Amino acid sequence: MTLMKRRVATARRAKIDRKRYLWVLGLLAPGCALLPSQLVLHTGWKVFWWIGPIIIFGVIPLLDWVIGDDESNPREQDHDALSNDRYYRWCTFLFLPVQLIGLVIACCMWAGDDLSVLDKLGLAATLGFVSGIGINAAHELGHRVEKLERWLAKIALAQSGYGHFNVEHNRGHHVRVATPEDPASARLGESLWEFLPRSIFGGFRSALALERDRLRRKGLSWWSRDNQILQAWAMTVALYLLLLALFGMGALPYLLLQAVIGIGLLETINYVEHYGLLRGKRADGKWARCAPGDSWNSDRLVTNVFLFHLQRHSDHHVNPGHRYQTLRSSREAPLVPAGYATMILLAAVPPLWRRVMDHQVLAHYDGDITLANIVPRKRDRILAAYGPAPSR
């Protein structure tokens, strides 16, 4: 290809997706694990062991506020070209080696005596945030039909030990989303701290049941090599045993802590995505097909780039097979008042969260709170607080 043709092709690709060259910034997330030692070495500021929380809860919300929204959508006629462009796949593929290199470096420092316990905790928090965002990368890869990408999803989940997530998310959450039967859909009046154990343990039980049923239909036992959950868990066991063999048992407490933090981050995002939303019912009493109004969205540019368009969550549920670069913003989808990174901070403080989000849910349903997914034990109290449904 001549230089002129390459320039024309590059300009055309950039015109199709104005954010094309921003997606590589998603690699800053796993890169957080590589930064702390160098930042501390060159500045002497030990606060940089906590660079993960600093970026997620400080830098990104600030940039979201300064840069604002991106409501641009890819054109329908460009969908196939975007989907088949392998550049976007490499942006997610490269997440994995950076993630794993950072984990190896962290284990080396956790096992040594050069850092204080406080510094090691800061590094564990940073790795935990990388682990949580790694689950999001696994989420993108796990929705693909290509075997390579599905296996890469399991590798991305190995750090957090959350290997059953792909089974429950794809075959459980996407089927039951925004209904009382879904453990990953938060209910109106339910605090984050009530939601976390319900979602974590409920999702675990659901994944086991779903995979057991799939294997039974194929005439296979639970201990079959085809068991997708055991495959993923085996990767975690192998990874952890290798790291402990290389660096010793001193790394184990911090290795487990970063996994817990990563799981907590992922489940907190789940809490934000569907809080209080309830799908409608069909005439036969069954749940209606998932619609744009069943997920909370955000058009904040920085968080969308950082999380591979996770905030265009409605389109993801309506079209789960679509790759992240093709997801569209919808006027029918309800918007949270800030990016997901900011909303995570609000969720950690239940009174503040409810002051903001309960009114958002009420507005979404035009004042009819009976249409919301309400936590059962608080239903009478919530209905009394928000009054009767408006007449139609």
Side-chain angles (χ1 to χ4, degrees):
M1 184 183 289
T2 66
L3 178 61
M4 180 60 69
K5 287 183 177 179
R6 284 199 298 269
R7 286 178 176 175
V8 170
T10 299
R12 181 176 179 275
R13 287 193 293 265
K15 184 177 180 181
I16 290 175
D17 178 13
R18 293 188 297 176
K19 298 192 290 289
R20 178 181 179 83
Y21 299 109
L22 294 179
W23 295 115
V24 293
L25 297 178
L27 297 177
L28 286 175
C32 287
L34 307 177
L35 293 175
S37 59
Q38 295 303 307
L39 291 172
V40 174
L41 177 66
H42 287 90
T43 67
W45 296 355
K46 294 188 175 182
V47 70
F48 284 122
W49 295 118
W50 301 81
I51 190 66
I54 290 171
I55 289 177
I56 300 297
F57 292 148
V59 176
I60 290 180
L62 178 61
L63 290 175
D64 267 341
W65 179 70
V66 171
I67 295 176
D69 292 347
D70 165 45
E71 298 178 359
S72 64
N73 282 324
R75 300 181 305 174
E76 292 289 350
Q77 59 264 41
D78 293 327
H79 177 87
D80 289 345
L82 284 170
S83 297
N84 296 324
D85 190 335
R86 299 193 69 84
Y87 163 80
Y88 296 96
R89 303 186 197 189
W90 280 105
C91 288
T92 52
F93 292 173
L94 290 174
F95 193 104
L96 274 68
V98 179
Q99 176 186 358
L100 293 174
I101 291 169
L103 182 62
V104 170
I105 293 172
C107 284
C108 181
M109 290 188 284
W110 286 329
D113 298 322
D114 295 334
L115 302 186
S116 68
V117 172
L118 182 62
D119 293 341
K120 290 181 179 181
L121 289 174
L123 184 58
T126 291
L127 265 291
F129 279 78
V130 172
S131 183
I133 297 172
I135 299 175
N136 179 57
H139 164 257
E140 170 64 26
L141 294 165
H143 271 289
R144 309 285 70 88
V145 297
E146 291 82 354
K147 287 186 177 180
L148 171 62
E149 291 179 81
R150 286 180 175 266
W151 277 102
L152 291 176
K154 293 171 186 173
I155 295 172
L157 289 166
Q159 179 175 339
S160 61
Y162 221 44
H164 63 279
F165 168 79
N166 274 340
V167 171
E168 161 56 18
H169 180 82
N170 290 5
R171 289 188 261 140
H173 175 61
H174 269 266
V175 173
R176 300 182 296 237
V177 63
T179 71
E181 290 78 31
D182 180 32
S185 293
R187 300 161 179 170
L188 182 72
E190 182 178 35
S191 75
L192 172 65
W193 311 110
E194 294 172 301
F195 170 80
L196 287 176
R198 185 173 71 83
S199 184
I200 291 170
F201 294 112
F204 177 76
R205 289 192 299 268
S206 174
L208 295 183
L210 288 166
E211 186 63 1
R212 187 179 295 111
D213 290 344
R214 185 187 73 87
L215 292 170
R216 186 182 296 119
R217 289 193 300 271
K218 296 181 70 174
L220 299 173
S221 76
W222 174 258
W223 301 106
S224 166
R225 289 185 300 176
D226 193 41
N227 187 319
Q228 295 179 6
I229 293 178
L230 293 185
Q231 290 170 359
W233 286 351
M235 290 184 182
T236 294
V237 172
L239 175 64
Y240 278 36
L241 288 178
L242 177 61
L243 292 172
L244 295 177
L246 291 173
F247 303 108
M249 294 298 291
L252 182 59
Y254 303 100
L255 197 56
L256 295 176
L257 177 59
Q258 64 82 30
V260 170
I261 292 172
I263 292 168
L265 179 63
L266 177 276
E267 293 293 355
T268 302
I269 292 174
N270 274 341
Y271 178 78
V272 172
E273 288 171 337
H274 304 285
Y275 177 77
L277 300 179
L278 185 67
R279 275 154 59 186
K281 289 282 189 76
R282 301 185 321 204
D284 61 4
K286 295 182 179 180
W287 296 110
R289 189 173 184 272
C290 192
D294 299 325
S295 304
W296 291 105
N297 291 247
S298 174
D299 285 324
R300 292 287 194 257
L301 173 64
V302 175
T303 304
N304 260 329
V305 168
F306 203 69
L307 295 180
F308 297 113
H309 263 166
L310 181 66
Q311 296 180 137
R312 293 189 169 182
H313 207 61
S314 288
D315 195 15
H316 168 67
H317 271 283
V318 173
N319 300 292
H322 286 190
R323 294 182 178 272
Y324 70 91
Q325 66 269 23
T326 68
L327 295 179
R328 300 170 61 84
S329 176
S330 170
R331 294 186 180 275
E332 301 172 30
L335 297 175
V336 287
Y340 278 8
T342 305
M343 299 308 295
I344 290 171
L345 288 173
L346 290 181
V349 186
L352 182 58
W353 170 265
R354 292 202 60 193
R355 175 172 292 187
V356 173
M357 285 304 299
D358 284 14
H359 293 285
Q360 296 286 121
V361 175
L362 188 66
H364 175 60
Y365 290 117
D366 296 324
D368 189 352
I369 205 66
T370 64
L371 299 178
N373 184 8
I374 302 173
V375 65
R377 65 183 181 82
K378 296 182 181 178
R379 185 174 183 85
D380 292 342
R381 192 189 322 163
I382 290 173
L383 293 180
Y386 291 107
S391 58
R392 297 189 182 275

